Amino acid sequence: MSEIILSIKDLKVNYGGIEAVKGISFDVPKGDIVTLIGANGAGKSSTLRTIAGLVRPKGGAIEFQGENIIGKDAASIVKKGVTLVPEGRRIFPDLTVNENLRIGAYLRNDDISADLDWVYELFPRLKERSWQAGGTLSGGEQQMLAVGRALMSRPKLMMMDEPSLGLAPLIVRDIFSIIKEINKRGVTILLIEQNANMALSTAHMGYVLETGRITLSGPGKELLANEAVKAAYLGT
């Protein structure tokens, strides 16, 4: 049986008086790609932001490598090996590509040159534009920069919030092939994505969230063939 790197148990998250997440439980095995799919407002982003320490849950447990990380601040969680690629990329537009990447390693005090080389190997376009301001990059290049910046913290678990949002289909394919490559290098990935087809085709395991609850789960390929999933999320 696979080692579980992240375990979510009965997680509840409220925004004001609204229950965004209503007691969900799921595991992320080490070395896997796990995806959460669902419509807008299903609780996907709330789940990732809570794991990252940006939102305080109302109840439940979040265990990373066997330790409950609820109550830890975001920087401590990054130090433990959990990083978030946020929705909308959130790069620093006035800083260069190189500076944006170095900011990803701000909690490290070791040599980052090998990781910088790996990011530039994964994303040759970033290397070509390393002294260009982040804000002048295309949407796809900014997404690559957001992923590269997250990799600079040398994560064990990378969480990605809607990496394909607003990108052309060809660029989406590029991003997902990079996700597979990062995973092959040993990084576990928890992905939320509106492009259910790409997400389920890529993921080892998938969970369907509807209004704050998990309604379906199974291997990605199995959910891809599920009639209810096809009708609700795949347009077939």
Side-chain angles (χ1 to χ4, degrees):
M1 191 171 164
S2 299
E3 179 189 337
I4 301 300
I5 194 168
L6 179 75
S7 187
I8 306 298
K9 297 172 180 173
D10 197 28
L11 185 67
K12 298 181 179 78
V13 183
N14 283 18
Y15 281 122
I18 297 164
E19 279 186 298
V21 181
K22 302 171 183 175
I24 64 170
S25 299
F26 66 91
D27 290 333
V28 178
K30 187 177 180 181
D32 277 10
I33 300 174
V34 172
T35 189
L36 308 178
I37 65 165
N40 274 337
K44 306 185 306 294
S45 289
S46 300
T47 300
L48 290 202
R49 286 173 58 77
T50 306
I51 296 166
L54 300 170
V55 174
R56 181 94 190 195
K58 190 184 178 198
I62 301 169
E63 292 181 1
F64 179 67
Q65 295 186 315
E67 179 189 355
N68 191 352
I69 58 171
I70 285 178
K72 306 270 184 209
D73 61 64
S76 303
I77 290 171
V78 171
K79 269 188 177 173
K80 287 182 184 300
V82 181
T83 188
L84 172 64
V85 181
E87 183 183 351
R89 305 184 268 276
R90 309 275 180 92
I91 61 150
F92 296 97
D94 298 329
L95 299 183
T96 67
V97 166
N98 189 277
E99 287 165 341
N100 267 278
L101 291 174
R102 288 178 179 278
I103 280 175
Y106 79 104
L107 289 173
R108 292 175 55 181
N109 52 17
D110 58 336
D111 183 12
I112 65 168
S113 55
D115 297 280
L116 200 54
D117 288 345
W118 180 39
V119 170
Y120 284 146
E121 183 191 321
L122 276 174
F123 302 112
R125 268 184 283 182
L126 295 185
K127 188 171 187 178
E128 289 164 17
R129 292 159 171 71
S130 62
W131 299 107
Q132 200 169 310
T136 65
L137 302 179
S138 70
E141 289 161 353
Q142 287 188 19
Q143 184 61 62
M144 292 171 189
L145 181 54
V147 173
R149 180 181 61 189
L151 285 173
M152 289 300 295
S153 68
R154 200 177 276 174
K156 296 168 187 165
L157 171 69
M158 176 186 273
M159 302 190 293
M160 307 181 84
D161 191 346
E162 303 285 6
S164 80
L165 194 67
L167 302 182
L170 270 175
I171 304 294
V172 172
R173 279 203 290 277
D174 285 351
I175 292 289
F176 273 87
S177 67
I178 293 291
I179 289 170
K180 287 181 188 170
E181 182 58 36
I182 291 167
N183 179 243
K184 273 185 203 160
R185 299 278 190 111
V187 181
T188 306
I189 291 172
L190 176 58
L191 167 73
I192 66 174
E193 180 53 69
Q194 289 228 328
N195 186 331
N197 197 0
M198 287 299 285
L200 294 173
S201 301
T202 306
H204 299 94
M205 187 74 181
Y207 294 88
V208 178
L209 256 70
E210 290 179 13
T211 57
R213 290 191 170 90
I214 291 172
T215 55
L216 273 174
S217 65
K221 303 282 193 292
E222 225 172 76
L223 288 179
L224 209 48
N226 181 290
E227 292 304 323
V229 173
K230 280 184 182 179
Y233 303 108
L234 304 176
T236 57

